[in-house]
Amino acid sequence: GYEKPVSANVATRANGTGRETERGKLLKFLRTQAEKCIRGSPDELYLWLRNSEDILTLDDLREAVSDEDYVREIMQPGTKSVGLKCSKLATFKTCVLATGNPHIFVTAEEISRKEETVQSRVTHDMAKMEEAKGLY
């Protein structure tokens, strides 16, 4: 069926106590921290998670990503237009699980940068080892 687009203020609309709604937090997370892991629109992914998968809050999403099979078989393929990037499943999971710790704020971009740094160090060290082998 036709889905009304998610209004831009859903994520920031305040409730009676002045805090973001739980649903707003999920949408904001998908738009900011997890955006690099998403294939398609974060807003469309949010609607699919909410309407098809009954994932309404970050707590629900943390519970969902704790099941490796669910992430790989359901969330990654998603729909024709939205899902998770296959190469970013671990990054997505790390970002989601970090939301459970109020002392950690991590974005997919930061995780990717760290992974690239580690990979370049490993490549550099392997080249040095190969170079050293040639000396003996």
Side-chain angles (χ1 to χ4, degrees):
Y2 172 74
E3 274 301 332
K4 224 171 47 176
V6 180
S7 69
N9 68 357
V10 167
T12 54
R13 186 184 312 133
N15 62 18
T17 62
R19 291 190 347 240
E20 290 176 312
T21 64
E22 287 303 309
R23 290 180 183 196
K25 288 179 185 178
L26 174 59
L27 181 57
K28 184 177 180 183
F29 168 79
L30 294 173
R31 286 178 175 168
T32 57
Q33 288 162 270
E35 186 179 22
K36 291 222 177 292
C37 303
I38 296 170
R39 178 177 47 77
S41 152
D43 291 36
E44 275 188 63
L45 183 67
Y46 169 79
L47 290 173
W48 176 71
L49 290 172
R50 187 186 75 190
N51 297 335
S52 299
E53 299 304 307
D54 202 31
I55 294 174
L56 307 176
T57 65
L58 280 169
D59 285 339
D60 295 340
L61 189 57
R62 277 192 297 275
E63 187 178 327
V65 300
S66 65
D67 180 344
E68 295 283 338
D69 293 336
Y70 180 77
V71 172
R72 206 172 36 258
E73 295 168 18
I74 306 295
M75 293 185 77
Q76 190 265 317
T79 69
K80 279 190 283 189
S81 57
V82 293
L84 300 177
K85 293 178 184 172
C86 195
S87 62
K88 299 285 185 188
L89 294 182
T91 301
F92 181 77
K93 184 174 178 175
T94 301
C95 284
V96 171
L97 295 176
T99 65
N101 184 335
H103 305 292
I104 298 174
F105 179 88
V106 65
T107 66
E109 194 169 336
E110 289 169 323
I111 293 169
S112 294
R113 255 198 316 273
K114 286 178 183 156
E115 287 171 350
E116 286 167 18
T117 302
V118 168
Q119 187 57 47
S120 69
R121 282 188 191 142
V122 168
T123 303
H124 178 264
D125 291 349
M126 288 173 69
K128 286 281 187 203
M129 286 172 18
E130 288 299 314
E131 196 178 292
K133 278 183 193 173
L135 299 175
Y136 295 104

